[in-house]
Amino acid sequence: DILVKRGAEFDLLEVKAKLWKGPDDSCAPFRGKRGGIASEWKRYLEDVTFQTMVLEELFPEAVVHPYLVLCDKARTTSIDELHSLFTIRRLTIEGSPIDHVDVRFLGDASSLRRDNFLATIPVDREVRDLMPAVRTASDEFAQSVTPELLRIPPPISPSCKSCEYRASRTDPRDGFMDCWGPLGAVEPSILELYKLGAPGGGTREAGRLIESRQTCLLDVDEDALANADGKIGADAQRQRIQVGCARCNIEWVSDRLMAVLDGLQYPLHFIDFETSRLAIPYHSGMHPYGMVAFQWSCHTIREAGGPIEHAAWLNSERVFPNFEFASSLRDAIGGGGSVLTWATHESTTLKEIRAAMDERRHGDDELAAWIDALRAGEDGRIVDMHEITLGHYCHPMMKGSTSIKSVLAAVWSADARVRELFPEYGSGVDSPYAALPDIEIGGRPLRVAEGTEAMRAYQDMMYGAGRLDPDAKRRYAALLSQYCQLDTAAMVMIWDHWRRVAR
């Protein structure tokens, strides 16, 4: 990214938007306990190594000093709204399949240099250790494109589950099917196995089947779904439940699900948070990748059989919003009833807000006490519906996933009562998320249907296209609101379905 030439010496600086947590006691922060390159850092260091190799081949007499430039977790910025000093414009170029981005810094560059939050770390030793393997791989790739293009046949394995070369709405090419052929069309697929890739019997069994050209989930030997010592852990138990559901093609509900649901205390509050973390701190006093909580949604049922109420909050001011976020949530859900979430994001967000209150000496003792009580151990009010799913519910249509979108898609398809409860999402779609409408902003139809898209929309609303355009800002707010509201509506739908199938 940056090349500094001093006579016959080069400083090669590779900038990565990755958090640097500081050196450890071993003085080898990029290495594991046994001295090898840590997997967390390997791809970044291979990148620097490849560039160093190219530079040394071009200038064999030169000396190259490679560095990684990373975001330093220990540093903060004193420049308020630093992120807003960078203008980002997306440019559509005729004939180009992708948008280009123009970024400009409007602030005082000297202040930014004095107050920078980056760490520049020499990686000479790591580059030298990786150089032989990188050189060998580079030669192999180069030989595959000249004098003619040759395909390097890759082995198929459980790791193909995360293949990025899948067909999409805009590109029909499918590298996964090129590799797997007819084996990739088998349903249900072995790649749908829960926690595939994690250490354990499931990954070993999947690898064995794929090696023998069997890729159907129904071919799994359930006895093989165990730890190496033969014990059946939580992951293996979940895998067995999934395979059983797939074999019988039926929904599975544990005999304890009703007791879990009966243990909830009214009023029931179903909450979802949207947060953002950027390499460049949003506000003065923030660290790189500091968390900004910018939106919450809450569906509330105050008593058994009662109506469903909705409340929401979205930050639209260019201020540090976290404390107002928590205060407005407290006003909405108060001090009674169960608070239902999906996974741990909401609890973690409140924990970070509470820590920031101490760090920034925010003096609202009542708010601090409320957060502490809400999160208090096993007796706290927060109930994780994802954990309930893992222990008590499975459907073949979930395909091994326990995300809220996968569970909702299964429930929505199987239960007409749920579709009647929320008619605004239509009945002719696979999932309510597919029914979320596009909203045109700046001449482009935009849609938010997952968390990363929500974060980008918020950034555009506050610092990009919507920054100086009230109409665009209003449209971004509508885009964010309809998505976050659906996340909590989805929890109500799933809860409602569970109540009836568990009886």
Side-chain angles (χ1 to χ4, degrees):
D1 295 306
I2 301 170
L3 191 64
V4 181
K5 183 178 183 295
R6 299 185 309 277
E9 293 191 25
F10 290 99
D11 288 345
L12 190 155
L13 295 95
E14 178 66 11
V15 182
K16 295 295 186 184
K18 178 158 174 71
L19 201 59
W20 166 253
K21 299 178 182 179
D24 58 17
D25 295 336
S26 68
C27 298
F30 301 116
R31 296 180 180 268
K33 294 180 179 179
R34 298 182 179 179
I37 302 295
S39 58
E40 175 188 6
W41 293 101
K42 189 171 183 181
R43 67 189 180 99
Y44 301 103
L45 292 165
E46 286 175 338
D47 191 342
V48 183
T49 302
F50 176 75
Q51 295 181 54
T52 302
M53 181 193 76
V54 171
L55 196 59
E56 289 179 341
E57 288 183 356
L58 288 171
F59 301 97
E61 302 302 320
V63 177
V64 180
H65 304 290
Y67 297 87
L68 275 180
V69 181
L70 307 167
C71 302
D72 192 336
K73 182 181 180 181
R75 302 186 193 183
T76 62
T77 182
S78 62
I79 303 174
D80 198 33
E81 297 189 40
L82 174 58
H83 188 274
S84 69
L85 298 177
F86 291 85
T87 63
I88 303 173
R89 293 191 306 137
R90 288 180 170 81
L91 308 174
T92 301
I93 298 178
E94 187 175 353
S96 175
I98 61 173
D99 288 346
H100 293 252
V101 178
D102 176 66
V103 182
R104 297 175 186 238
F105 181 61
L106 306 179
D108 179 3
S110 60
S111 296
L112 186 59
R113 290 191 186 98
R114 287 193 305 270
D115 193 49
N116 88 81
F117 49 86
L118 303 176
T120 302
I121 308 113
V123 291
D124 300 73
R125 182 184 163 204
E126 287 74 22
V127 164
R128 296 308 155 199
D129 287 353
L130 289 169
M131 186 66 77
V134 169
R135 193 181 302 279
T136 298
S138 300
D139 289 344
E140 180 184 1
F141 291 133
Q143 290 167 14
S144 75
V145 297
T146 183
E148 60 179 324
L149 185 62
L150 300 173
R151 185 171 183 275
I152 301 173
I156 64 173
S157 72
S159 63
C160 294
K161 180 175 183 175
S162 58
C163 177
E164 61 186 304
Y165 302 108
R166 302 268 191 162
S168 67
R169 289 184 300 173
T170 57
D171 191 341
R173 295 176 297 175
D174 197 318
F176 172 80
M177 292 302 294
D178 287 346
C179 294
W180 279 61
L183 296 176
V186 174
E187 292 185 354
S189 171
I190 186 64
L191 297 182
E192 296 170 4
L193 187 65
Y194 173 74
K195 283 287 187 79
L196 184 64
T203 302
R204 290 194 302 271
E205 174 67 358
R208 180 189 70 80
L209 287 171
I210 293 171
E211 190 175 348
S212 63
R213 315 299 286 179
Q214 295 174 276
T215 59
C216 182
L217 181 68
L218 306 184
D219 292 328
V220 168
D221 178 2
E222 291 187 43
D223 290 337
L225 300 178
N227 298 332
D229 59 5
K231 294 182 179 179
I232 302 173
D235 289 350
Q237 182 62 36
R238 180 69 189 182
Q239 290 168 343
R240 292 184 175 210
I241 290 170
Q242 179 196 351
V243 173
C245 277
R247 283 210 173 100
C248 301
N249 196 31
I250 59 171
E251 183 178 43
W252 174 82
V253 177
S254 85
D255 55 9
R256 294 188 57 251
L257 177 58
M258 196 67 241
V260 172
L261 299 179
D262 284 343
L264 301 175
Q265 301 294 314
Y266 285 95
L268 305 180
H269 304 287
F270 301 82
I271 66 170
D272 177 70
F273 298 169
E274 298 301 330
T275 62
S276 179
R277 297 178 186 273
L278 287 183
I280 299 175
Y282 280 98
H283 303 286
S284 175
M286 289 185 66
H287 300 270
Y289 287 107
M291 185 269 294
V292 166
F294 63 85
Q295 183 180 19
W296 59 257
S297 170
C298 176
H299 277 84
T300 295
I301 302 174
R302 300 202 176 276
E303 58 187 8
I308 303 170
E309 305 170 15
H310 180 251
W313 181 87
L314 173 64
N315 178 56
S316 60
E317 303 299 324
R318 288 164 59 181
V319 296
F320 183 67
N322 292 13
F323 304 142
E324 184 181 349
F325 171 98
S327 180
S328 62
L329 180 68
R330 176 190 59 185
D331 293 343
I333 68 176
S338 294
V339 178
L340 292 99
T341 67
W342 199 277
T344 59
H345 176 62
E346 284 68 30
S347 182
T348 300
T349 298
L350 290 169
K351 179 181 179 181
E352 290 197 39
I353 292 175
R354 180 66 181 84
M357 293 181 72
D358 289 340
E359 183 177 356
R360 290 171 172 254
R361 298 180 181 177
H362 185 71
D364 191 335
D365 294 337
E366 289 186 6
L367 181 61
W370 177 80
I371 294 175
D372 290 339
L374 184 62
R375 297 188 62 256
E378 295 181 359
D379 297 328
R381 296 168 59 196
I382 296 178
V383 179
D384 183 354
M385 291 180 68
H386 179 253
E387 284 297 314
I388 297 177
T389 300
L390 288 176
H392 304 285
Y393 183 75
C394 188
H395 194 290
M397 287 186 61
M398 290 162 54
K399 297 185 176 182
S401 171
T402 54
S403 73
I404 190 171
K405 290 182 175 62
S406 297
V407 179
L408 177 63
V411 165
W412 183 261
S413 174
D415 193 340
R417 168 73 173 87
V418 167
R419 298 193 294 273
E420 293 171 3
L421 192 64
F422 288 88
E424 62 267 36
Y425 296 109
S427 58
V429 293
D430 294 333
S431 167
Y433 287 96
L436 289 173
D438 293 347
I439 294 180
E440 186 173 300
I441 304 176
R444 296 191 307 164
L446 297 178
R447 189 164 172 269
V448 170
E450 50 95 9
T452 302
E453 292 172 350
M455 183 176 70
R456 289 173 178 163
Y458 176 72
Q459 291 165 4
D460 280 349
M461 180 179 81
M462 299 298 291
Y463 305 108
R467 179 183 172 190
L468 301 175
D469 184 341
D471 181 64
K473 197 168 188 177
R474 177 182 60 79
R475 290 170 180 263
Y476 273 117
L479 198 64
L480 287 163
S481 295
Q482 68 181 21
Y483 165 67
C484 196
Q485 179 173 345
L486 176 52
D487 270 348
T488 50
M491 286 188 272
V492 176
M493 296 178 203
I494 294 167
W495 167 82
D496 184 74
H497 176 73
W498 284 350
R499 269 190 327 120
R500 283 175 287 103
V501 298
R503 293 191 186 280

